[in-house]
Amino acid sequence: MLARLRLACAALVLLFVTGPVPAQQLAPREGVTVSIACGALGIELELCREAAQEWARKTGNSVEIVNTPNSSSDRFSLYLQLLSSRSAEIDVLQIDVVWAAMLAPHLADLEGPLGERVDRMFPALARNDRIGGRLVAVPWYIDAGVLYYRQDLLDKYGFAPPETWGQLTRTAAAIQQAERVAGNQRMWGYVFQAKAYEGLTCNALEWVSSYGGGTFLDGSRNFTADNPAARAALAQAGSWVGSIAPRGVLNYDEEAARGVFQTGNAVFMRNWPYAWALAQGEGSPIRGKVGVVALPHGPGGESAAALGGWHLAVSRYSRNRAEAIDLVAHLIRAEEQKRRAIKGAYNPTYPALYEDPEIIAANPFFATLYPAFENAVARPARQAGPRYNQVSDAIWRATHGILRGDDTPASAMDRLDDEIARIAYRARWKEDARSE
Ligand code: GLC
């Protein structure tokens, strides 16, 4: 008994002297099963499985792919539930760019093994994942909202791709009307993501920001969307529901919007780049008939694409940390990002890959929209930190009320201001801001 106690004390002393063994010093083993939660939209799951299995074959390990829900909000709840109970069930997690600060306490520090690679990626992404001096995730692909249009329909009726939301509204209405008269009763002008979830926060940010109405929270965490430009942007979006967009849009996420567009029943669609590979895929009814441009802007504003994307993180509770990190290292290689860009239109996180001729040939808009990707507008995740989900939830609920026609932009923004003030009060933001 005493001997065992002595041994335990010695181990403890050793731990204090040397500190916990840094992850990068642990060599990956063989014969381990690493679980990874990855993929949801488009062909993500398939691409992830292929690459993870390739790693497993090379290293003599196995991988288990954990299925996760399509909606990023649902995925977040699932992760939070697992991580809060310190579950070791998932070793590698694909996390949304806006979750880094919220999940940071549950994620392993990847600075040692992967910091240098992250420094070769877009600086804004690298900054996003360094929280409190730790690298909590590694950028895997970037998303930015873009506008898809039906080139064939625009040509048929003599329209150019819209540059302003006003032009989009008029073009969508005219073509919708003409196509219905011509016999397609199911044609709609514009589809986007208006379900009450994270995707609506992205759409709302793009509308408001492209009208010059700010990004909901400024750098000092003040609410900024109670202004005429933001109200005008939201009023215009509200006017689409039931006119150029079906009322069902109130329940559309990315895949629902793509379903309507890809079956040929919408003139315009707001979505992320992944929809390109599928629209152009074999058997797609709209193959060869689609174009992609930057999202329109409001009067006096500039086009704004919400910055999205997914990163890879290792759970702090993983019992296979070294192997999990090795798998992440395999997945984020430039070569693998190139494969994903060509097959699935997932935007690489290394700027150098935007000059790769094969990637550009598969996705010509990666070149033309490069500035939109580089200058994509971030959601207020950094400002809101661990409270981002509450802030975003408040934004999408307020916006959904306007789109449903249950609220006016003025009263919705007024209430959102109060709600964010309550979140800020609970989080003691103002005091933090003074001491920062
Ligand atoms: C995409 C984006 C992600 C965003 C989500 C919203 O998956 O990459 O950042 O949160 O859409 O639905």
Side-chain angles (χ1 to χ4, degrees), residues 41 44 70-73 75 96-99 141-144 193 197-200 202 253-254 270 272 307-310 379 388:
L41 295 187
E44 263 191 299
N70 251 355
S71 150
S72 70
S73 304
R75 256 205 251 186
D96 197 325
V97 58
V98 287
W99 300 345
Y141 70 89
I142 308 182
D143 261 340
Q193 296 75 41
Y197 80 122
E198 185 63 30
L200 180 52
C202 297
D253 57 12
E254 286 81 2
R270 183 269 177 210
W272 307 103
L307 173 68
W310 292 81
R379 283 162 274 174
Y388 174 70

Side-chain angles (χ1 to χ4, degrees), residues 46-291:
E46 192 185 317
L47 289 173
C48 175
R49 177 173 292 122
E50 286 166 3
Q53 277 168 354
E54 183 190 37
W55 171 82
R57 271 195 306 277
K58 275 192 180 158
T59 60
N61 291 305
S62 358
V63 282
E64 188 196 331
I65 312 282
V66 182
N67 270 325
T68 49
N70 251 355
S71 150
S72 70
S73 304
D74 295 344
R75 256 205 251 186
F76 181 71
S77 312
L78 176 79
Y79 282 0
L80 205 58
Q81 202 184 335
L82 284 171
L83 293 171
S84 306
S85 65
R86 301 175 159 254
S87 158
E89 214 170 296
I90 307 183
D91 298 303
V92 178
L93 305 116
Q94 179 177 338
I95 70 164
D96 197 325
V97 58
V98 287
W99 300 345
M102 287 190 291
L103 297 181
H106 302 290
L107 305 175
D109 184 4
L110 305 176
E111 189 63 61
L114 300 174
E116 269 178 24
R117 288 233 226 148
V118 171
D119 288 335
R120 275 186 270 136
M121 299 182 178
F122 285 103
L125 298 179
R127 264 198 307 279
N128 182 82
D129 288 350
R130 287 197 166 103
I131 310 274
R134 300 163 65 239
L135 180 67
V136 299
V138 179
W140 199 19
Y141 70 89
I142 308 182
D143 261 340
V146 291
L147 183 74
Y148 290 81
Y149 61 92
R150 284 281 301 279
Q151 182 71 65
D152 58 329
L153 294 179
L154 260 55
D155 289 348
K156 181 170 166 191
Y157 296 103
F159 287 101
E163 283 176 18
T164 65
W165 291 112
Q167 286 166 0
L168 175 134
T169 309
R170 288 188 293 278
T171 308
I175 299 182
Q176 174 181 309
Q177 164 79 8
E179 282 293 290
R180 287 188 181 192
V181 169
N184 183 1
Q185 293 307 323
R186 295 162 72 188
M187 180 58 84
W188 288 100
Y190 187 39
V191 290
F192 49 97
Q193 296 75 41
K195 181 176 150 178
Y197 80 122
E198 185 63 30
L200 180 52
T201 295
C202 297
N203 281 250
L205 174 78
E206 290 165 348
W207 302 328
V208 168
S209 177
S210 68
Y211 260 76
T215 56
F216 290 98
L217 287 188
D218 66 15
S220 315
R221 298 166 176 158
N222 296 310
F223 181 71
T224 58
D226 207 355
N227 65 64
R231 287 194 287 272
L234 293 164
Q236 179 160 49
S239 77
W240 296 330
V241 180
S243 59
I244 58 169
R247 268 202 81 76
V249 80
L250 293 168
N251 213 19
Y252 281 9
D253 57 12
E254 286 81 2
E255 285 294 80
R258 186 174 70 82
V260 176
F261 187 71
Q262 199 164 321
T263 46
N265 292 323
V267 184
F268 296 113
M269 167 176 73
R270 183 269 177 210
N271 217 321
W272 307 103
Y274 84 96
W276 170 256
L278 297 155
Q280 292 295 85
E282 242 169 78
S284 160
I286 53 168
R287 185 182 166 126
K289 300 177 179 168
V290 182

Side-chain angles (χ1 to χ4, degrees), residues 8-25:
C9 285
L12 213 65
V13 168
L14 201 70
L15 190 71
F16 272 116
V17 173
T18 58
V21 183
Q24 69 271 28
Q25 286 179 18

